[in-house]
Amino acid sequence: MKAVCWTGRNSVEVQEVPDPSLLNSRDAIVKVTSTAICGSDLHLLDGYVPTMQNGDVMGHEFMGEVVETGPGIGDDGPRVGDRVVVPFPIACGACAACRAELYSCCENSNPNAGIAERFFGHPTAGIYGYSHLTGGFAGGQAEYARVVFADVNALRIESDLTDEQVLFLSDVLPTGYMAADLCDIQEGEIVAVWGAGAVGQFAMDCARALGAEKVVAIDKEPYRLEMAAAQGYDTVDFEEVDVRSALLELTGGRGPDKCIDAVGMEATHGAAHVRVYDRPSAGRSRARRRCRPCPGVRP
């Protein structure tokens, strides 16, 4: 089959690779009908995440049709012909983390959990197409993919919704929702979202669904800001205006109640963690102060 393979830093190729096969009794083989490229894939491409190997199949956002299942999948699991969305973290469904619904911390799905713990400071679940730190599982930017613990991880789609309407259940929508959920948004609050890409758009929608009265999108790309504006959100182009001043103006001088960073990782190492800003001070109108850098972040 054909698959998108990592071939070195800043290099990917479509290559012919072996078809996947059932390795465990709870596996399933899925014929991929839709897949997506995540912003996190850029971290693999540019070398920020180690342990990638030449020929690794990329992609952790995919869905498709089940074409083969292992004998260990129970009656409630997927069947041949089912249409499924596959979430990116792999969960066994039985460990303490999974029983607590902390699926991204599954204790059984990542054979390289010890390596991940040394690198990240904590172990992670296995993840499709995301380096050998997360298990070295082949990803879904391919014609076929092996889905591990398919009776737990393959979400059956029993409707006529299109791929474009449900594919984002694999990663982007849950990511945006979690960002908003972690904010503990209360009715009537104002939420500012840095980054109006796919995750940012979903974070805005989820913030509104969770009770936000006003949502502000902050970005520089016109098409992203236009998309946010079309959904009724206020927008700020950070290349055109001072973000802090714009937020104060949009919030009656109070500032947003909650803030979401929907960009992440190396893109925000500098200004998001160490910046100079104005603050009112007794005896003078404005005082300059520098934030102390977060641990491990260089100014």
Side-chain angles (χ1 to χ4, degrees):
M1 68 173 183
K2 292 186 183 337
V4 176
C5 298
W6 189 90
T7 55
R9 186 175 181 184
N10 294 318
S11 175
V12 296
E13 296 177 3
V14 175
Q15 297 181 346
E16 291 283 347
V17 301
D19 290 351
S21 59
L22 299 174
L23 300 181
N24 298 298
S25 64
R26 293 169 63 191
D27 288 349
I29 305 300
V30 170
K31 180 181 180 181
V32 177
T33 57
S34 290
T35 184
I37 298 173
C38 182
S40 299
D41 288 329
L42 297 177
H43 309 323
L44 305 180
L45 180 66
D46 59 22
Y48 275 86
V49 178
T51 72
M52 288 295 288
Q53 297 178 11
N54 185 14
D56 282 349
V57 179
M58 301 182 69
H60 56 272
E61 301 180 11
F62 63 97
M63 64 175 293
E65 178 186 342
V66 177
V67 296
E68 189 177 0
T69 60
I73 294 180
D75 293 338
D76 294 333
R79 292 285 177 254
V80 171
D82 284 347
R83 187 162 164 255
V84 296
V85 172
V86 181
F88 71 90
I90 302 170
C92 73
C95 68
C98 287
R99 290 197 302 271
E101 298 185 340
L102 301 172
Y103 301 110
S104 65
C105 299
C106 176
E107 299 165 2
N108 292 325
S109 62
N110 183 1
N112 297 329
I115 302 174
E117 185 171 10
R118 288 196 296 272
F119 182 73
F120 293 123
H122 56 82
T124 71
I127 298 175
Y128 295 101
Y130 211 78
S131 86
H132 293 263
L133 284 174
T134 62
F137 295 95
Q141 291 174 19
E143 293 182 275
Y144 293 88
R146 178 173 74 101
V147 177
V148 186
F149 297 123
D151 49 347
V152 174
N153 294 293
L155 174 63
R156 187 185 291 115
I157 304 300
E158 299 178 306
S159 71
D160 58 357
L161 293 173
T162 65
D163 279 16
E164 288 78 7
Q165 290 173 298
V166 295
L167 173 62
F168 296 122
L169 287 171
S170 63
D171 181 348
V172 190
L173 175 54
T175 301
Y177 176 82
M178 185 173 183
D181 185 53
L182 288 172
C183 284
D184 189 27
I185 296 168
Q186 305 298 309
E187 289 286 338
E189 289 189 327
I190 300 172
V191 178
V193 179
W194 273 258
V199 171
Q201 299 286 344
F202 277 118
M204 293 177 225
D205 293 344
C206 293
R208 179 165 58 187
L210 291 172
E213 180 178 312
K214 181 193 290 285
V215 177
V216 184
I218 302 162
D219 207 296
K220 68 172 184 175
E221 301 298 335
Y223 78 95
R224 293 179 177 181
L225 294 172
E226 289 167 7
M227 185 180 297
Q231 298 302 313
Y233 306 128
D234 291 286
T235 61
V236 174
D237 184 336
F238 66 77
E239 287 193 332
E240 299 294 330
V241 300
D242 176 72
V243 173
R244 180 176 180 274
S245 298
L247 287 175
L248 289 174
E249 183 176 350
L250 288 168
T251 59
R254 187 167 57 87
D257 299 291
K258 305 289 169 60
C259 298
I260 295 173
D261 173 6
V263 181
M265 208 169 165
E266 67 272 10
T268 53
H269 271 179
H273 295 286
V274 184
R275 66 188 178 92
V276 176
Y277 64 94
D278 292 329
R279 188 182 74 163
S281 176
R284 50 189 179 183
S285 60
R286 297 287 184 189
R288 305 290 291 181
R289 184 168 71 92
R290 180 173 290 277
C291 293
R292 298 183 63 185
C294 297
V297 177
R298 293 182 299 173

